[in-house]
Amino acid sequence: MKIATFNVNGINSRLDRLLEWLAESRPDVACLQELKSPDANLPLDAIRHAGYGVVAHGQRAWNGVAILARGREPIETGRGLPGMEEDTQSRYLEAVVDGIVVGCLYLPNGNPQPGPKFDYKLQWFDAFNKHAKKLFASGMPVVLAGDYNVVPTDADIYNPASWREDALLQPESRAAFAQLLAQGWTDAIRACHPERAPFTFWTYWRNRYPRDAGLRIDHLMLNAELAPMLRSAGVDRDVRGRTGASDHAPAWVELDVPKTRRS
């Protein structure tokens, strides 16, 4: 079973690139972030025509998340992050696909920091970690996939010196990510690439993609029930280099899921 996460950076403006990738990579589950579209304007018909069921939590501007499942409909189990009921930003969606709980997240960027946007990032991260702890202990296989907007370590960025003031590298952001790992979650890409994990994001400026001056901020976390099924993980880096591409590349895991779990 292949599960992927992809920050599409505007689903309508980059729909052709999304459909192209779905046809090539054929993930069984795809978690999308930064839809930049209200629900009424989402291209659901095009996605379903491509062979995917979909649940979505859209919003204008920079937010919006969706979960796609190839050949079936995801069973939505949560919309919005528990503990953030007053939050108006569409950043979390949860569904079950073939008996696996899939959490799709778009964690706040937090810039500029310090300030209210960074405070919101940490508040959201704290609520997310509390929910993740419950999911980890649920006894169900769980994957938490999305754009975490955190560079976990200096090994996950081409040049940390030039990003030291960014919210993605702040000690508080990294500490929250470390607290998530301390619950027992497996960072799937790091687990499969312990020496040099591939980047997932390259800004549009300063020729950073051709120079591979990237960051690793898109992550797939597996709980104790799912981690033993991990077979491989990677990043479809070439997707970032295409005309009209998102500034993120899709990241994915392949799991040896027992057939008894799959309908």
Side-chain angles (χ1 to χ4, degrees):
M1 185 177 194
K2 187 174 187 178
I3 301 176
T5 181
F6 188 10
N7 180 320
V8 295
N9 191 16
I11 193 168
N12 288 305
S13 61
R14 306 187 200 280
L15 180 59
D16 289 347
R17 296 286 77 80
L18 171 61
L19 297 177
E20 179 181 69
W21 169 71
L22 289 173
E24 292 173 355
S25 184
R26 292 176 57 81
D28 296 289
V29 178
C31 296
L32 308 182
Q33 304 87 40
E34 208 170 340
L35 303 182
K36 296 183 180 179
S37 172
D39 287 338
N41 294 343
L42 290 171
L44 301 183
D45 288 344
I47 291 171
R48 292 190 173 113
H49 184 72
Y52 283 83
V54 55
V55 293
H57 185 23
Q59 187 177 7
R60 293 187 184 277
W62 302 101
N63 306 314
V65 286
I67 299 173
L68 282 56
R70 185 161 57 89
R72 64 202 64 215
E73 291 292 329
I75 302 170
E76 184 177 326
T77 55
R79 178 174 294 241
L81 184 63
M84 295 289 288
E85 284 77 15
E86 302 303 316
D87 188 15
T88 60
Q89 299 190 26
S90 301
R91 293 186 174 275
Y92 186 77
L93 188 63
E94 195 171 288
V96 173
V97 181
D98 288 342
I100 294 175
V101 178
V102 179
C104 175
L105 65 138
Y106 179 41
L107 205 139
N109 177 281
N111 284 303
Q113 70 82 30
K117 290 187 177 181
F118 190 63
D119 294 341
Y120 169 61
K121 179 190 186 87
L122 297 182
Q123 179 190 10
W124 204 97
F125 216 149
D126 181 64
F128 175 71
N129 280 352
K130 289 177 180 176
H131 183 55
K133 187 174 182 180
K134 294 178 181 178
L135 288 175
F136 190 89
S138 68
M140 295 282 290
V142 184
V143 56
L144 299 175
D147 179 355
Y148 282 69
N149 268 316
V150 177
V151 177
T153 72
D154 284 357
D156 297 300
I157 183 170
Y158 73 101
N159 180 13
S162 63
W163 288 76
R164 284 299 181 201
E165 300 306 312
D166 197 278
L168 278 62
L169 273 71
Q170 292 311 296
E172 298 92 337
S173 303
R174 288 179 162 180
F177 191 88
Q179 289 167 10
L180 179 66
L181 289 175
Q183 295 177 5
W185 296 91
T186 294
D187 177 348
I189 293 179
R190 172 61 66 194
C192 291
H193 302 272
E195 298 299 323
R196 206 282 198 183
F199 299 142
T200 65
F201 169 81
W202 300 258
T203 64
Y204 290 123
W205 55 85
R206 297 180 183 174
N207 209 35
R208 282 181 173 159
Y209 173 72
R211 295 190 292 115
D212 200 27
L215 296 73
R216 190 173 75 95
I217 59 176
D218 303 272
H219 310 293
L220 298 106
M221 313 297 287
L222 312 179
N223 74 341
E225 281 71 29
L226 204 55
M229 304 179 198
L230 178 61
R231 184 174 70 191
S232 62
V235 174
D236 292 335
R237 185 186 185 278
D238 66 296
V239 173
R240 170 62 179 83
R242 299 177 184 179
T243 301
S246 169
D247 44 8
H248 294 249
W252 50 266
V253 296
E254 289 189 337
L255 306 167
D256 286 323
V257 177
K259 291 184 179 180
T260 54
R261 285 197 175 273
R262 307 184 67 174
S263 58

